[in-house]
Amino acid sequence: MPSPRNPGRSRAQDRTEDRLGTNRSVDGDAPDRRGARVSTRGAARHAPKGEIQPPARKAPAKGAPRIRADGSEAVGRPSRPAGAPARSPRPAAVRSSAPANAPVRLKSERDDGLHRIAKLLARAGVASRRDIERMIEEGRIALNGQPVTKPATLLADLKGVTVDGKAVGATEATRLFLFHKPNGTLTAERDFSGRKTIYDVLPEGLPRLMPVGRLDLNTEGLLLLTNDGALKRKLELPATGIERTYRARTFGPITQQQLEDLAEGITIEGVRYGRIDANLERSTGRNQWIELTLTEGKNREVRRVLEYFGLQVSRLIRVRYGQFVLGSSAPGDVEESPPQEVVRLLNGLGMAD
């Protein structure tokens, strides 16, 4: 007898399919072309090619309101499922207990009494830290007979340290000298071409001294000398912002307005020179004296800036370096700065022990 549900099939076939469950509708099942029921769940993955697939569920956009099943808007954070572990609290930002104007403590500063060997040797007047690092690379510095390989080697003192096979004496107190460098002398320890250096002019009996910065062969004036390599380096750094003042005798036309424009800095042949305070002191015809104050001290900076304006520099004198002034000293004169003045300088630079 034909089946009333499926024409062309017998009632016996319907009873067999009912018993096997292939003709039963479960949770949105739909019949396929063969009459069997298949689930639409996962249809996006398994639907036959060419059929319309249900849209995939998308996560709500960030900041968009959450909609409940009944169409109402959810307010606040979603509730945590029952039994879910509590989320650990976000750690609070670490706040410093130090006042806002407290001095910054450098990582290189230590409280255990140990110092880098390069620093100790610089303080002992052997050389600047940079030169000492080169000497270490060359194997010229040893500790207890073994070559030192790292400038960061930590020591309490210089006991057992040798330079070129000679023992290094105890660290001396920092000393600073004001030297009136004469024109025509090199700021160098020696010159292989035979030209005169500042060490040919300095009087005997002085400790081993290093120049703070350099003055050109034909530049005269104040040159600081020290036995402390660390102080030398600190005073030379442009970041320290120490002012240097020069007086230049020039020939050629120049206006005060042109000099005042140097306060904004200037770029010459790709080299950027920072702020320069320049004033026209006095002039006689096309000859004039110009005073310039700067903080960078790049190589031949004053001469290059003045020559950029078409001026010829016939004399250049440095009259001030920071708090130290040349005064009325004569070329070749040297004077030691009082110890209390040196202490004030070290305190101002944050280098006091």
Side-chain angles (χ1 to χ4, degrees):
M1 181 178 295
S3 168
R5 289 182 298 180
N6 297 300
R9 305 176 62 147
S10 65
R11 292 179 180 268
Q13 288 176 320
D14 281 349
R15 285 195 297 270
T16 302
E17 290 177 352
D18 287 342
R19 186 171 60 252
L20 295 176
T22 57
N23 204 23
R24 187 174 300 148
S25 176
V26 180
D27 262 349
D29 290 350
D32 66 0
R33 288 177 295 182
R34 294 170 300 177
R37 304 275 178 168
V38 296
S39 173
T40 59
R41 286 171 292 190
R45 294 191 305 269
H46 307 295
K49 185 175 180 180
E51 293 188 4
I52 298 178
Q53 303 178 13
R57 179 177 297 177
K58 297 182 179 179
K62 185 176 182 180
R66 295 180 293 105
I67 307 300
R68 296 191 180 97
D70 58 2
S72 62
E73 181 178 338
V75 180
R77 297 174 60 88
S79 60
R80 185 182 296 109
R87 180 178 299 175
S88 59
R90 180 178 298 176
V94 178
R95 297 181 180 273
S96 173
S97 59
N101 59 350
V104 178
R105 184 172 180 82
L106 301 177
K107 293 182 179 180
S108 59
E109 297 179 1
R110 303 180 62 89
D111 297 324
D112 53 10
L114 300 179
H115 302 278
R116 294 190 176 199
I117 188 173
K119 176 181 178 180
L120 291 175
L121 290 172
R123 294 296 300 273
V126 173
S128 67
R129 291 194 191 186
R130 182 178 298 177
D131 290 337
I132 290 170
E133 291 175 359
R134 285 196 289 263
M135 294 168 70
I136 290 175
E137 292 178 358
E138 296 169 358
R140 299 170 57 188
I141 299 176
L143 174 62
N144 297 325
Q146 299 297 322
V148 176
T149 58
K150 297 180 180 179
T153 300
L154 298 176
L155 299 174
D157 52 46
L158 293 174
K159 184 178 180 179
V161 178
T162 58
V163 177
D164 295 332
K166 299 179 181 179
V168 180
T171 303
E172 300 178 354
T174 298
R175 302 174 70 182
L176 188 69
F177 293 80
L178 282 64
F179 174 54
H180 189 154
K181 175 189 173 297
N183 187 12
T185 55
L186 284 174
T187 307
E189 186 172 355
R190 64 181 65 88
D191 182 65
F192 296 103
S193 61
R195 291 177 295 180
K196 185 181 295 185
T197 73
I198 59 173
Y199 294 98
D200 296 324
V201 180
L202 287 171
E204 297 181 358
L206 294 175
R208 185 183 185 280
L209 297 174
M210 298 168 285
V212 177
R214 293 178 178 272
L215 290 178
D216 297 336
L217 175 68
N218 295 320
T219 300
E220 57 188 289
L222 180 60
L223 180 65
L224 299 182
L225 305 170
T226 182
N227 65 335
D228 189 333
L231 176 60
K232 163 186 164 67
R233 180 61 178 159
K234 188 75 170 181
L235 291 173
E236 291 173 344
L237 287 174
T240 309
I242 296 179
E243 292 184 344
R244 294 95 150 153
T245 300
Y246 297 80
R247 294 183 69 240
R249 186 174 66 189
T250 63
F251 175 80
I254 190 70
T255 65
Q256 180 60 37
Q257 183 58 52
Q258 287 176 293
L259 296 176
E260 290 179 357
D261 291 341
L262 292 174
E264 303 297 328
I266 188 172
T267 301
I268 302 175
E269 296 180 354
V271 178
R272 180 67 182 176
Y273 298 100
R275 175 187 178 89
I276 299 177
D277 293 324
N279 293 290
L280 189 61
E281 284 189 343
R282 65 177 187 269
S283 61
T284 303
R286 293 168 64 88
N287 293 279
Q288 57 269 320
W289 280 94
I290 301 174
E291 182 186 76
L292 306 96
T293 299
L294 48 97
T295 58
E296 287 185 323
K298 291 181 179 177
N299 184 34
R300 298 178 58 84
E301 180 173 353
V302 175
R303 292 183 182 274
R304 287 178 176 173
V305 169
L306 294 177
E307 290 169 358
Y308 174 79
F309 288 110
L311 299 177
Q312 299 177 21
V313 181
S314 59
R315 192 177 181 187
L316 184 59
I317 311 169
R318 183 158 69 188
V319 297
R320 183 171 70 91
Y321 199 107
Q323 67 198 65
F324 304 99
V325 295
L326 182 63
S328 57
S329 64
D333 287 351
V334 60
E335 178 185 357
E336 183 171 10
S337 179
Q340 59 270 23
E341 192 74 16
V342 176
V343 171
R344 281 196 292 268
L345 174 65
L346 294 175
N347 287 332
L349 297 174
M351 299 179 62
D353 293 331

